Amino acid sequence: MQQTLTKRIYLTPPPPTEDDQRSEKQRILDSLPSELGSVSMGLSAMRELYPVCEESGWKLTAILSRTSAGWEITALEPGDTTGRNFGICADLGSTTVCMRLVDLNTGEAVCQESAYNHQIAFGEDILNRVFYSKGNADKLEEIRQATLLTFCEVIKAMEAGTGISLSHCGAMTVAGNTTMMHFLLGLDAFAVFASPYAPRATRFDPYPACQVGLPFSGYVYCYPCRANYLGGDIISGLVATGIPDREEISVFLDIGTNGELVVGNRDFLVAGAGAAGPALEGGVVKTGMRAVDGAVSEVVLEDGSFRCTVLGGGTPAGLCGSGIVDLLSELYLNGMVDLRGKLTAEHTMVQERDGELCVCYAPGLYFWQSDIDAFLRTKAAANTMVEIMLEQVGIGLDQVERFYVAGAFGTHLRKESAVNIGLYPDMPRDRIISAGNTSLDGAQALLCDGTVWDRLDQILDKMEYIQFGAVPNFIDLMAAARAIPHTDLSRYPSVRQKLIDNGLLR
Amino acid sequence: MQQTLTKRIYLTPPPPTEDDQRSEKQRILDSLPSELGSVSMGLSAMRELYPVCEESGWKLTAILSRTSAGWEITALEPGDTTGRNFGICADLGSTTVCMRLVDLNTGEAVCQESAYNHQIAFGEDILNRVFYSKGNADKLEEIRQATLLTFCEVIKAMEAGTGISLSHCGAMTVAGNTTMMHFLLGLDAFAVFASPYAPRATRFDPYPACQVGLPFSGYVYCYPCRANYLGGDIISGLVATGIPDREEISVFLDIGTNGELVVGNRDFLVAGAGAAGPALEGGVVKTGMRAVDGAVSEVVLEDGSFRCTVLGGGTPAGLCGSGIVDLLSELYLNGMVDLRGKLTAEHTMVQERDGELCVCYAPGLYFWQSDIDAFLRTKAAANTMVEIMLEQVGIGLDQVERFYVAGAFGTHLRKESAVNIGLYPDMPRDRIISAGNTSLDGAQALLCDGTVWDRLDQILDKMEYIQFGAVPNFIDLMAAARAIPHTDLSRYPSVRQKLIDNGLLR
């Protein structure tokens, strides 16, 4: 673990004598291994020289953080504390901030905690927060403070959960989208959303935590962003999946509030982003909800009735993203929804309420035609992005070795259902990988391996950014992709076979 | 003025377009001249990207400061403000903090301001402040805050006096003794005074002003210290006088509260320090006072009575250092004090009051035998330091091309009087240079020429430090030097001649 962004080194410099009056700081610098190169000592560590040096009998641990200039000693502790070398990695999401406390001697996470982002007080939708703070330094500062408060809460929860003090933490890595990085660092984020879409900043140096406003002595390392809608969370995800290191071609799809897509390998990376929509987080479906207790996460049609799996095991309260996909898949494969996405009025399980067709998937809970329409726009966007991207790159689906689906959504989703409705392409299922929180995983990878930091510029420079809106036939492609699974059924042979098996197609 | 520690560069990067969405930060970095090398942008400058870039129509000035890693943009201003490139240099004295506002386009000081150091509240004597704060972080913080308050007052006075805002000042250089640097940076200073005399820190990196606690966006550059009693004020003085650059040998003597001495040239530097004593600041003389209004700064004996020059022109209130030296010189050359430093009871102008001999130098003001005794200890210390140093280095006084006397004391002192009483050596008067506040001058030199910063380590590494207390015959030499001008009168031929001229010697 030589390459971590922070190190602890146990030192036993000789105590000063009248014949050797080098300063306490100098004795420590002189006792460091020379292969570290240039090492400085920060002001807060200098203020710890007394009493640490004297009281420890000159047996002490220096905590070092990587900076642009080399290494900096950011804290001192008496005795040998090299066994307690912890770092923090963070996924700064617009809804949730998730962190892990990582033991840098093993590379393993010791605990993981998360909290809702206090920014939500300034708008559930990220755009509301941007407009709230637009051109107003005081309001921008409110949002920055809300972000820092969330960070502090999660850090405290990790401290409480493990009994580990993090005040001398040497490194925190952060991955988040471009807007979130603006808010964390106190940058006006309006430029992220307004033409010509040049963010204030996309690449970040290591900053002292105290300058960022975080309560520990080390440095903060923020993943860089590639463009306004292609943030550090995606770069982090690429690092987590290893796509930029491998020869085989992979697709990386992150569908949260927005959809981001990358296709590539070690030779090329093409990336794009578009409004996938909150549908996948349950946002546009009437009984949609986040994946919390009470959410229906799985639906199976058995013997003419829906069997729902409910998170937390209680009474169903609504559908989370994976529940929507499951339900729609079952409706389609059982003839309740046609390939245009329309509920079949003739089907016995389809009913009309208040002039709109719907199905009852749980007692008192209905899934409406308008829900389906809204959801299919999102699924069409995701599908079209993949299609366009592969076409731009000039490769076929069969050349894609791995299809990563990032985000909490991907984790809970059943691959088969996602293929059935055309959200995922019809490809060998073992090539579809639910990659989980790749933003957090990539932050952890960076924390444990400083060579990642050195390679980020390469990754960014290699990345080509496509604006989907500028693709000429985008609208036509979207329309075609709104069908279930797709207007061109030949692209979905496995789904076609199921329809035949179910007697819906000949 | 290419080498200043801070620069302003006028930039006109192209505004962003949908075809060129580089971030605002990146556009600025990309538009910098490539010869600057590695340039970063600090967080506070990033927070100024909006609205500076947009509102200025992409015509803006970047303010850069030198860091350990290269250059950092520390602030942005709309329009072309390269004509207003100001830096601050500071002499951090235990009694007075003195600063200059320097126009870095010309290298000239625009104004100079000073204030009493608020640390005085914690002890007139520096040792009292050290003991007050010893091992007590809260009290140390009080002293640090007092130091910062003084700095802020002087900065505000300069702003008020010139109408120039310093919030975007890119660089402040600071020279001060080892203890003062400890207090400014918040380091426990007890180690400076206690065996084995290893300070907490003696070499300093450029620190962001906000980390030091100062109200501007640039960096603070502190002169390094060579040893506990040989601080940055002396290193700064050497830079100011140019001694380490020249072939000819010079002596640098700074006699304030302590005495510091350096002998050397571009090939060698030998330095030492000792307790010279507050005598030279009027401290141990009963009617002694600082060189403020009312202080007698010059004394001449004319027609059997003392003619006093009074600072401010009013009624005499006491003697400042130069007045003491003048008075003692006149007493000696006119037979009122013998070579042992004893008042001559037989002289008509010498009187006895309360059982002690004295002379009345102004209405109601007396100079006592005990004053002379105390003062001669100080003069003996200074004289002996020079003598020992030259002996150690193995050169004679005739090889000393320049004899610099630093400090406010040296500025007001009349050379002839100082030679007469043996405080200065008897050497050609044009070789004796009253150098003024060399600590402040050196800080200004560093501010205007960053190559000085690069050469400081060389100067320090070349400097040999002699502990006068460890010289075997120190006490004997001190005793011999207590005579006026010296036990060995052959060392003072010009004084000998005056005594002969005055009929006091044959």
Side-chain angles (χ1 to χ4, degrees):
Chain A
M1 303 302 294
Q2 275 301 302
Q3 301 291 337
T4 50
L5 287 175
T6 176
K7 290 179 198 285
R8 290 189 172 220
I9 303 182
Y10 178 58
L11 302 170
T12 56
T17 63
E18 295 216 3
D19 292 331
D20 175 6
Q21 298 179 330
R22 278 174 302 151
S23 71
E24 296 183 348
K25 175 186 166 190
Q26 197 62 45
R27 315 180 89 76
I28 288 175
L29 293 178
D30 290 348
S31 66
L32 288 167
S34 60
E35 61 265 29
L36 284 173
S38 165
V39 181
S40 64
M41 187 183 291
L43 270 181
S44 55
M46 281 161 63
R47 289 173 188 153
E48 292 171 332
L49 285 162
Y50 179 83
V52 168
C53 292
E54 285 180 25
E55 291 190 359
S56 71
W58 291 89
K59 296 172 192 309
L60 53 93
T61 299
I63 298 155
L64 289 82
S65 304
R66 262 197 58 176
T67 70
S68 303
W71 290 95
E72 179 181 316
I73 297 177
T74 51
L76 299 170
E77 291 183 355
D80 182 353
T81 65
T82 53
R84 300 200 292 274
N85 192 20
F86 298 98
I88 303 171
C89 56
D91 167 41
L92 170 50
S94 58
T95 306
T96 307
V97 172
C98 192
M99 295 189 192
R100 288 188 195 132
L101 182 56
V102 179
D103 182 341
L104 295 173
N105 291 322
T106 65
E108 300 296 323
V110 174
C111 81
Q112 176 168 332
E113 293 284 347
S114 62
Y116 281 116
N117 192 332
H118 282 289
Q119 287 178 10
I120 294 170
F122 305 98
E124 185 87 21
D125 186 338
I126 199 169
L127 256 179
N128 289 340
R129 304 176 205 170
V130 171
F131 276 102
Y132 176 78
S133 56
K134 172 178 185 269
N136 187 315
D138 291 340
K139 291 180 173 175
L140 181 60
E141 179 63 11
E142 284 178 53
I143 292 187
R144 188 176 82 94
Q145 290 299 336
T147 318
L148 295 176
L149 177 63
T150 316
F151 269 59
C152 289
E153 280 180 6
V154 181
I155 292 170
K156 270 187 199 151
M158 294 196 298
E159 286 183 315
T162 60
I164 296 165
S165 164
L166 293 171
S167 60
H168 278 172
C169 173
M172 172 191 266
T173 53
V174 183
N177 70 35
T178 308
T179 306
M180 285 302 115
M181 297 319 301
H182 277 57
F183 283 152
L184 174 65
L185 301 177
L187 311 178
D188 182 283
F190 186 67
V192 176
F193 291 90
S195 173
Y197 308 107
R200 307 295 172 208
T202 50
R203 302 191 186 195
F204 311 103
D205 297 303
Y207 304 118
C210 66
Q211 272 186 32
V212 176
L214 291 170
F216 55 90
S217 53
Y219 274 71
V220 177
Y221 306 81
C222 299
Y223 259 102
C225 305
R226 174 59 184 80
N228 62 331
Y229 292 145
L230 203 76
D233 50 343
I234 303 304
I235 314 300
S236 182
L238 292 179
V239 168
T241 56
I243 293 172
D245 301 325
R246 284 199 304 269
E247 190 176 353
E248 62 261 35
I249 294 166
S250 301
V251 170
F252 178 92
L253 178 64
D254 186 343
I255 28 177
T257 309
N258 274 291
E260 291 103 1
L261 185 70
V262 187
V263 176
N265 65 359
R266 68 182 180 201
D267 298 320
F268 75 95
L269 291 168
V270 182
L280 299 174
E281 292 176 333
V284 301
V285 170
K286 286 196 192 69
T287 62
M289 61 186 291
R290 286 191 192 133
V292 293
D293 280 0
V296 171
S297 63
E298 275 185 54
V299 181
V300 181
L301 185 69
E302 275 180 353
D303 308 326
S305 69
F306 294 108
R307 191 169 54 74
C308 295
T309 303
V310 181
L311 295 180
T315 312
L319 288 164
C320 68
S322 61
I324 296 170
V325 173
D326 260 8
L327 178 54
L328 191 54
S329 166
E330 289 295 61
L331 295 181
Y332 178 64
L333 291 184
N334 292 283
M336 279 173 266
V337 163
D338 63 19
L339 66 84
R340 296 167 307 135
K342 297 303 170 196
L343 282 165
T344 316
E346 301 75 36
H347 197 284
T348 52
M349 293 182 71
V350 175
Q351 52 182 292
E352 185 175 329
R353 295 175 68 92
D354 303 329
E356 185 178 354
L357 294 181
C358 63
V359 292
C360 176
Y361 64 92
L365 295 173
Y366 300 90
F367 192 56
W368 305 84
Q369 180 61 54
S370 55
D371 289 344
I372 295 173
D373 295 344
F375 185 81
L376 287 178
R377 280 194 288 276
T378 294
K379 108 74 187 164
N383 186 297
T384 308
M385 287 198 296
V386 175
E387 188 179 347
I388 289 178
M389 193 71 89
L390 292 179
E391 196 180 296
Q392 291 264 341
V393 172
I395 63 166
L397 197 58
D398 55 331
Q399 291 170 272
V400 175
E401 293 288 328
R402 307 191 202 195
F403 187 91
Y404 291 96
V405 186
F409 176 67
T411 312
H412 297 111
L413 203 64
R414 288 199 295 161
K415 293 175 197 174
E416 206 57 36
S417 300
V419 174
N420 289 341
I421 65 163
L423 178 63
Y424 292 176
D426 195 354
M427 63 193 294
R429 305 301 184 264
D430 60 351
R431 293 189 176 188
I432 301 176
I433 299 159
S434 293
N437 191 341
T438 52
S439 171
L440 187 56
D441 289 343
Q444 183 171 344
L446 170 59
L447 185 65
C448 296
D449 183 3
T451 64
V452 169
W453 185 256
D454 303 323
R455 283 186 294 129
L456 288 175
D457 274 351
Q458 282 174 39
I459 294 176
L460 288 173
D461 292 344
K462 195 160 60 181
M463 246 171 146
E464 202 184 329
Y465 181 49
I466 289 179
Q467 294 187 63
F468 289 116
V471 174
N473 55 341
F474 186 69
I475 302 297
D476 294 344
L477 289 168
M478 280 274 281
R482 204 178 284 183
I484 303 180
H486 195 278
T487 309
D488 179 5
L489 197 56
S490 71
R491 298 182 184 200
Y492 282 82
S494 79
V495 181
R496 190 168 184 278
Q497 187 57 50
K498 285 175 200 161
L499 293 172
I500 292 170
D501 293 348
N502 288 0
L504 294 165
L505 198 71
R506 276 194 286 178
Chain B
M1 306 300 294
Q2 275 301 302
Q3 301 290 338
T4 50
L5 287 176
T6 176
K7 291 178 195 288
R8 287 187 175 224
I9 304 182
Y10 178 57
L11 302 171
T12 56
T17 64
E18 295 216 5
D19 291 330
D20 176 6
Q21 299 180 330
R22 280 174 301 153
S23 71
E24 297 182 349
K25 175 186 165 189
Q26 197 61 45
R27 314 181 89 75
I28 290 175
L29 293 179
D30 289 348
S31 66
L32 288 166
S34 59
E35 63 265 28
L36 284 174
S38 165
V39 181
S40 63
M41 187 183 291
L43 270 180
S44 55
M46 282 162 62
R47 290 174 188 153
E48 292 171 332
L49 284 163
Y50 178 85
V52 168
C53 292
E54 286 180 25
E55 292 190 359
S56 71
W58 291 91
K59 297 171 191 307
L60 52 95
T61 299
I63 298 154
L64 289 81
S65 304
R66 261 196 59 176
T67 69
S68 303
W71 290 95
E72 179 181 317
I73 297 178
T74 52
L76 298 170
E77 291 182 356
D80 183 353
T81 65
T82 53
R84 299 200 293 273
N85 192 20
F86 298 98
I88 304 170
C89 57
D91 166 40
L92 169 52
S94 57
T95 305
T96 308
V97 172
C98 190
M99 295 189 193
R100 286 187 196 134
L101 182 55
V102 179
D103 182 342
L104 295 173
N105 290 322
T106 65
E108 300 296 322
V110 174
C111 82
Q112 176 168 332
E113 292 284 348
S114 61
Y116 281 117
N117 192 331
H118 283 289
Q119 286 177 11
I120 294 171
F122 305 98
E124 185 86 23
D125 185 338
I126 199 169
L127 255 179
N128 289 339
R129 304 176 205 170
V130 170
F131 275 103
Y132 176 76
S133 56
K134 173 178 183 270
N136 187 317
D138 292 341
K139 291 180 172 176
L140 181 60
E141 179 63 13
E142 284 179 52
I143 291 187
R144 187 176 82 94
Q145 290 298 336
T147 318
L148 295 176
L149 176 64
T150 315
F151 269 58
C152 289
E153 280 181 7
V154 181
I155 291 171
K156 270 187 197 149
M158 294 196 298
E159 286 184 314
T162 60
I164 296 166
S165 164
L166 293 172
S167 60
H168 279 174
C169 173
M172 170 189 268
T173 53
V174 183
N177 70 35
T178 308
T179 305
M180 285 302 116
M181 296 321 299
H182 276 58
F183 282 152
L184 174 65
L185 300 177
L187 311 179
D188 182 283
F190 186 67
V192 176
F193 291 91
S195 173
Y197 308 107
R200 308 292 173 210
T202 49
R203 301 190 187 195
F204 311 104
D205 297 303
Y207 303 118
C210 67
Q211 270 186 32
V212 176
L214 291 169
F216 56 89
S217 53
Y219 274 70
V220 177
Y221 305 82
C222 299
Y223 260 102
C225 306
R226 174 58 183 81
N228 63 331
Y229 292 144
L230 203 76
D233 50 342
I234 302 306
I235 313 299
S236 183
L238 292 179
V239 168
T241 55
I243 293 171
D245 302 324
R246 287 197 304 270
E247 189 176 355
E248 62 260 36
I249 294 167
S250 301
V251 169
F252 177 91
L253 177 65
D254 185 344
I255 30 178
T257 309
N258 275 290
E260 290 101 4
L261 185 72
V262 186
V263 177
N265 65 359
R266 67 183 179 199
D267 298 319
F268 74 95
L269 292 167
V270 182
L280 300 173
E281 292 176 334
V284 302
V285 170
K286 284 195 192 70
T287 62
M289 62 187 290
R290 288 192 190 132
V292 293
D293 280 1
V296 171
S297 62
E298 276 187 53
V299 181
V300 182
L301 185 67
E302 274 180 354
D303 307 327
S305 71
F306 294 108
R307 191 169 55 73
C308 294
T309 303
V310 181
L311 294 179
T315 312
L319 288 163
C320 67
S322 61
I324 296 171
V325 172
D326 260 10
L327 178 55
L328 191 55
S329 167
E330 289 295 61
L331 295 181
Y332 179 64
L333 291 183
N334 292 283
M336 279 174 266
V337 161
D338 64 19
L339 66 84
R340 295 168 308 136
K342 296 302 168 194
L343 282 165
T344 317
E346 302 76 35
H347 198 286
T348 53
M349 292 182 71
V350 175
Q351 51 183 293
E352 185 176 326
R353 292 175 71 92
D354 304 327
E356 185 179 353
L357 294 180
C358 63
V359 293
C360 176
Y361 63 91
L365 295 172
Y366 300 90
F367 192 56
W368 304 85
Q369 179 63 53
S370 55
D371 289 342
I372 296 173
D373 295 344
F375 184 80
L376 287 179
R377 278 193 290 276
T378 292
K379 103 83 183 162
N383 186 294
T384 308
M385 287 197 296
V386 176
E387 187 179 345
I388 289 177
M389 193 71 90
L390 292 179
E391 197 181 295
Q392 290 263 343
V393 172
I395 61 166
L397 198 57
D398 54 331
Q399 291 170 271
V400 174
E401 293 289 328
R402 307 192 202 195
F403 187 91
Y404 291 96
V405 186
F409 176 69
T411 312
H412 298 112
L413 202 66
R414 291 201 294 162
K415 294 176 197 173
E416 205 58 36
S417 300
V419 174
N420 289 342
I421 66 162
L423 178 63
Y424 291 175
D426 195 353
M427 63 193 296
R429 302 304 183 261
D430 61 353
R431 296 191 174 186
I432 300 175
I433 300 159
S434 293
N437 191 341
T438 53
S439 171
L440 186 57
D441 290 343
Q444 183 171 345
L446 170 60
L447 185 64
C448 296
D449 183 2
T451 64
V452 168
W453 185 257
D454 303 323
R455 284 186 293 127
L456 288 176
D457 273 349
Q458 281 173 41
I459 294 176
L460 287 174
D461 291 343
K462 196 159 61 181
M463 246 173 146
E464 202 183 328
Y465 181 50
I466 289 177
Q467 294 188 64
F468 289 117
V471 174
N473 56 342
F474 186 71
I475 302 296
D476 292 346
L477 290 167
M478 280 274 280
R482 203 177 286 183
I484 305 179
H486 195 278
T487 309
D488 178 6
L489 198 55
S490 70
R491 298 181 182 199
Y492 281 82
S494 78
V495 182
R496 188 166 187 279
Q497 187 58 50
K498 287 175 198 161
L499 293 173
I500 291 169
D501 293 349
N502 288 2
L504 292 166
L505 199 70
R506 276 194 286 180

